[in-house]
Amino acid sequence: MKFALFSLMLNLPNALTGETFTTQQKFQNVLKQAELAEKLGFDAYGVGERHGAPFLSSSPPVVLTAIAARTSRIRLLTTVTVLSVLDPVRVAEDYATLDHLSGGRLELIIGKGNDPRHYPLFGIKEEEQWESLAERYDLLKRLWNEENVTWQGQYRTPLDKVTTQPRPYQKSIPVWHGSASSPLSTELAAKYGEPIFSSNGFHPMAKYKALIDHYRERWEYYGHDPKDAIVGAGGGSLYLADTKEEAIRRYKPYYEAFSSTDSAKHNQSPFKSLEDTVENGPTLVGSPESVIEKVLTYHRAYGHQVLSIGADGLSESEQLEQIERFAKDVMPVLRREIPSTVWDGKELTLQQA
């Protein structure tokens, strides 16, 4: 298995002390996290995109460019790029620039996002999100793969013989499709012969497994070799301690603080408590042994080769503790137990559409 550390740049008052990072402190915190992730042997670092409090991650390409300057090996992910509301010309330019500045370490995870506040900001109706995403991704693909693009659609002004600059550094910037709630995302990924990344964050296994199964079914329908279908998955929240009981006790204040936010309520998680989500959901709160067993259980259902974890919301010292402990006590076992071909070379190998 391969591992990504990611951040949505969540910035809430500390559940234990009441202290809050300043905006500048949070940016520096994320940069240090990415440097630590590379040092500890993580394979990738991701920055999500949100457009409202308590998140500060409205500009992933800018943050990832700063991370690129401080790292040399780790892959750089967008977790996710909310392409359903963005101008594909701007996305093509910004991320091709980042691709060059990172020496070809960029990979996009695209999606419609799960925070409805971004739709009115960018002039899109929520009911248009899937149609908008499909149209914008088709244009983005053309802008990266073709020159002199002439195009007309619904969600931006027409283009006449446009060649965006710079051209990407990689021959083909790898793209994953974020999957959380609808088979329309898994359908789009299967159509293009590209991997999916299941959010696997707030709901029971069955919901996400159904989408992953749909992806594999449609992958074969479009004529792709089943062995080439690639799946990544999130792991919910992370908190490790010597025992599951201690981890739950120490993490509970953070869980309750985030659960009270509007963003968390929008996810409509069916779990009623931290104990419920630890027992019946994907969250990785427990002893290293119990977390390893949970990941192995989910892998038997999903067949995923990449796992992403986050330490948002914790104090900086606890972030350090949790990330280091995960790298020391969990990662080596899962690397040994779960084969993964992702990122074995510099670039993710994809079947091209």
Side-chain angles (χ1 to χ4, degrees):
M1 178 164 272
K2 302 295 172 56
F3 300 94
L5 181 64
F6 80 98
S7 176
L8 284 168
M9 301 183 66
L10 173 69
N11 201 26
L12 289 171
N14 185 278
L16 299 180
T17 67
E19 296 179 356
T20 305
F21 287 113
T22 67
T23 298
Q24 174 59 209
Q25 287 171 335
K26 187 60 183 179
F27 277 109
Q28 294 303 319
N29 170 244
V30 168
L31 296 178
K32 287 186 284 187
Q33 252 197 30
E35 290 180 283
L36 177 64
E38 179 164 276
K39 178 182 177 181
L40 293 175
F42 282 81
D43 302 281
Y45 189 87
V47 175
E49 180 178 344
R50 294 291 179 89
H51 294 276
F55 306 98
L56 300 176
S57 55
S58 58
S59 300
V62 179
V63 178
L64 288 170
T65 298
I67 291 171
R70 293 177 177 229
T71 57
S72 61
R73 174 194 57 80
I74 203 164
R75 300 296 289 175
L76 305 176
L77 308 179
T78 64
T79 53
V80 298
T81 294
V82 187
L83 188 59
S84 58
V85 300
L86 302 178
D87 179 3
V89 173
R90 182 78 265 180
V91 172
E93 294 171 337
D94 284 348
Y95 283 109
T97 300
L98 170 54
D99 197 37
H100 277 273
L101 293 173
S102 68
R105 291 185 282 140
L106 170 67
E107 305 196 7
L108 254 65
I109 304 178
I110 65 166
K112 53 86 179 174
N114 78 336
D115 187 337
R117 291 178 295 178
H118 52 235
Y119 295 110
L121 285 177
F122 294 95
I124 297 295
K125 297 177 181 177
E126 190 168 358
E127 59 268 25
E128 298 177 305
Q129 58 188 325
W130 300 112
E131 183 179 348
S132 173
L133 177 64
E135 178 183 292
R136 291 169 195 263
Y137 185 48
D138 179 70
L139 176 54
L140 177 63
K141 292 278 286 186
R142 290 192 60 194
L143 290 170
W144 273 343
N145 294 327
E146 302 175 26
E147 298 182 357
N148 298 313
V149 173
T150 296
W151 174 92
Q152 187 169 352
Q154 182 176 352
Y155 296 104
R156 64 148 293 130
T157 53
L159 302 177
D160 182 28
K161 298 180 180 178
V162 170
T163 302
T164 56
Q165 297 293 340
R167 310 305 294 156
Y169 178 86
Q170 298 175 87
K171 182 178 180 181
S172 179
I173 294 176
V175 175
W176 302 67
H177 295 250
S179 172
S181 61
S182 172
L184 294 174
S185 285
T186 48
E187 180 76 21
L188 192 66
K191 174 184 175 182
Y192 282 107
E194 294 170 335
I196 64 167
F197 217 108
S198 174
S199 65
N200 192 44
F202 299 99
H203 294 272
M205 177 192 291
K207 174 181 179 178
Y208 301 114
K209 184 179 185 303
L211 291 168
I212 292 169
D213 289 346
H214 176 262
Y215 165 68
R216 289 198 165 98
E217 291 167 6
R218 300 304 289 173
W219 179 276
E220 291 192 52
Y221 170 84
Y222 285 109
H224 308 308
D225 190 330
K227 69 178 178 57
D228 293 330
I230 296 173
V231 176
S237 302
L238 172 72
Y239 205 97
L240 299 170
D242 291 341
T243 66
K244 182 186 290 187
E245 293 74 21
E246 181 189 359
I248 290 173
R249 177 180 58 81
R250 291 178 61 185
Y251 185 67
K252 183 171 285 190
Y254 298 110
Y255 171 84
E256 292 176 346
F258 179 67
S259 296
S260 67
T261 65
D262 290 339
S263 178
K265 292 173 183 176
H266 172 72
N267 291 313
Q268 299 182 332
S269 174
F271 302 119
K272 304 305 181 185
S273 65
L274 176 57
E275 290 82 358
D276 186 17
T277 190
V278 168
E279 187 66 27
N280 301 303
T283 194
L284 300 179
V285 173
S287 66
E289 294 78 14
S290 68
V291 165
I292 289 167
E293 182 53 42
K294 175 171 280 190
V295 174
L296 292 173
T297 298
Y298 272 73
H299 176 261
R300 287 190 285 270
Y302 297 169
H304 54 304
Q305 296 189 44
V306 179
L307 175 69
S308 70
I309 62 149
D312 273 350
L314 306 179
S315 67
E316 194 158 54
S317 62
E318 282 186 293
Q319 289 178 26
L320 177 65
E321 173 196 359
Q322 291 301 315
I323 295 167
E324 288 185 334
R325 187 159 191 180
F326 183 85
K328 175 179 177 288
D329 296 339
V330 177
M331 277 172 38
V333 177
L334 294 176
R335 283 195 194 279
R336 183 174 66 248
E337 294 293 326
I338 301 175
S340 176
T341 59
V342 178
W343 302 319
D344 281 348
K346 184 178 180 182
E347 296 184 11
L348 173 64
T349 301
L350 298 177
Q351 179 172 335
Q352 298 301 313

